[in-house]
Amino acid sequence: MSLTAEAPALDMAGAEAFAENVGGVLNSGAVAVMLSIGHRLGLFDVLAALPPSTSAAIAERAELSERYVREWLAVMVMGGIVTYNPAAKTYDLPAEHAACLTREAPLGNLAVYAQAIALIGQMQERLLACFETGEGLAYGDYPCFHQFMAEDSGQTVVPQLFDVVLPLVEGIAERMEIGIDVLDAGCGRGLALIEMAKRFPNSRFTGYDLCADAIEFANETARKAGLANVRFEQRDLTGYGEKSRFDFITTFDAVHDQKDPQALIGGLRGALKPGGVYLMQDIGGSAKLENNHDFPMAGFLYAISCAHCTTVSLGQGGLGLGTMWGWETAKGMLEAAGFRSVERLVLPHDPMNVWFVARV
Ligand SMILES: C[S@@+](CC[C@H](N)C(=O)[O-])C[C@H]1O[C@@H](n2cnc3c(N)ncnc32)[C@H](O)[C@@H]1O
């Protein structure tokens, strides 16, 4: 009788099928990084504007090196994104594909999010050290983060701001018409606040953000737009404690990666005047891993969390709740902060996010 347990026989067919899946993951990951490069260089916009064209014509229109463009096009053809006519040696981006890959994309530009995958790759060496030490990183360690975020909210929040987002808060547009004080906390480059300031000249708008470069960009944009009713201030919201200053407070995807989200929500509650409203947009996944299998782009979101959101919170000495902290956690924190009512909403155009309307 043998005392050592025998290893179960390897299911070779299952192992080979799994290896094929991993091959698919590697292929998709490589194509995704090239989507990011195509987006940054404006190549999808060029392709969408041209009829089927040679690599030379595409490179000329994009003012780029033909050799690199041709190799990039090969990736796009293998990835099923661009079609290739070998007889004419021409490449084409079908309109149905351009519909989610260009700056004018009617379905929203998914190539924007490919930049996050490229960014994770860029951060690999720093992240390896974080895994070993348990320490975090600062926002400033991530190149182009605020540009990426502004492109993200520029298509998920700003275009829907007046028709979909603000109507979530009954009566708020009317109050902003008359004139109220509005804060956007963790405003980044401040695009949403600038649009509100343009639309409601009788109201006063304030944006706070930790990062000087984002605030500089926001102030410059407001100056160029000739707006006198909006101001942006670099401010660390850790321990935020202004009292009864604002009628309406928004956060767009800016709570989960804070040092102490509960303390921030409590601070925002205290900064609202009587009758004030807080509108929070954040990532809408569940706090339970097992509930997120069908959540849109859950693997992508956990990857962003591991590489950025958890990391920057830990970098501030914070809790590191992560991108997928869960709508349950957010709701519980809003209730614990003492809001009179907390309403949870999901918008059809934006299934990745959850919206809360919390009233004082
Ligand atoms: C995911 S970004 C969202 C930015 C912006 N609301 C948008 O939608 O584009 C989170 C923002 O929170 C800011 N932030 C993080 N920790 C902060 C802190 N302690 N104080 C102030 N802002 C902070 C970051 O600088 C960043 O701009």
Side-chain angles (χ1 to χ4, degrees):
M1 192 177 125
S2 167
L3 291 177
T4 50
E6 276 185 29
L10 182 65
D11 168 7
M12 270 315 280
E16 281 168 10
F18 176 73
E20 206 171 303
N21 284 347
V22 174
V25 169
L26 295 177
N27 212 26
S28 297
V31 174
V33 174
M34 290 289 142
L35 285 182
S36 173
I37 286 182
H39 169 69
R40 292 288 293 275
L41 293 171
L43 276 164
F44 293 116
D45 307 290
V46 165
L47 279 165
L50 286 175
S53 302
T54 62
S55 57
I58 294 163
E60 189 184 346
R61 175 70 79 91
E63 298 182 5
L64 295 168
S65 153
E66 187 277 337
R67 181 66 193 97
Y68 278 95
V69 169
R70 184 164 23 109
E71 209 64 6
W72 177 84
L73 285 164
V75 181
M76 293 300 112
V77 171
M78 292 303 128
I81 288 160
V82 166
T83 58
Y84 179 58
N85 176 342
K89 292 193 178 348
T90 57
Y91 302 83
D92 186 38
L93 180 66
E96 293 73 21
H97 298 193
C100 71
L101 290 173
T102 65
R103 285 175 171 76
E104 303 300 326
L107 299 180
N109 185 358
L110 291 176
V112 163
Y113 303 100
Q115 296 176 101
I117 298 167
L119 181 58
I120 293 172
Q122 240 175 314
M123 297 305 292
Q124 178 168 254
E125 298 307 316
R126 303 290 302 268
L127 291 167
L128 290 174
C130 291
F131 272 72
E132 287 175 5
T133 63
E135 288 172 6
L137 295 172
Y139 270 92
D141 291 327
Y142 293 79
C144 308
F145 175 75
H146 286 104
Q147 176 214 315
F148 165 65
M149 265 324 298
E151 282 186 71
D152 174 15
S153 51
Q155 60 183 10
T156 57
V157 176
V158 175
Q160 286 80 21
L161 195 57
F162 302 111
D163 293 338
V164 180
V165 172
L166 293 180
L168 295 176
V169 185
E170 205 187 324
I172 204 66
E174 291 77 4
R175 290 178 69 190
M176 284 201 281
E177 289 280 6
I178 295 165
I180 57 172
D181 290 293
V182 181
L183 169 68
D184 185 23
C187 60
R189 289 187 168 185
L191 299 184
L193 205 61
I194 284 172
E195 290 309 310
M196 285 190 257
K198 284 183 195 164
R199 176 71 70 108
F200 303 110
N202 294 335
S203 285
R204 299 155 297 279
F205 297 87
T206 303
Y208 293 144
D209 198 279
L210 180 66
C211 296
D213 57 329
I215 290 296
E216 205 176 301
F217 189 99
N219 271 323
E220 184 59 12
T221 311
R223 194 190 59 73
K224 282 189 188 146
L227 292 169
N229 62 336
V230 60
R231 68 181 193 95
F232 294 95
E233 190 184 310
Q234 183 193 2
R235 184 169 186 146
D236 184 350
L237 290 166
T238 308
Y240 177 61
E242 287 184 293
K243 294 291 169 217
S244 292
R245 261 209 66 188
F246 299 101
D247 302 280
F248 181 42
I249 297 181
T250 56
T251 55
F252 298 110
D253 193 11
V255 177
H256 65 263
D257 51 4
Q258 293 284 323
K259 177 177 176 178
D260 184 346
Q262 179 71 76
L264 175 67
I265 292 171
L268 298 178
R269 161 76 181 76
L272 281 168
K273 297 179 196 172
V277 192
Y278 171 34
L279 175 67
M280 174 205 266
Q281 177 217 30
D282 216 292
I283 302 295
S286 169
K288 289 190 177 172
L289 179 63
E290 61 273 25
N291 289 349
N292 287 326
H293 288 290
D294 295 328
F295 190 73
M297 294 176 74
F300 172 89
L301 290 166
Y302 276 116
I304 304 263
S305 181
C306 187
H308 178 269
C309 299
T310 301
T311 316
V312 291
S313 175
L314 293 174
Q316 296 184 58
L319 299 173
L321 294 183
T323 316
M324 298 293 262
W325 62 325
W327 64 264
E328 306 91 332
T329 312
K331 186 165 183 279
M333 286 187 177
L334 288 163
E335 286 162 353
F339 284 97
R340 181 171 53 82
S341 67
V342 175
E343 194 185 352
R344 174 180 161 236
L345 302 136
V346 177
L347 296 175
H349 81 273
D350 183 21
M352 236 189 246
N353 286 298
V354 64
W355 297 79
F356 290 102
V357 178
R359 293 180 186 271
V360 169

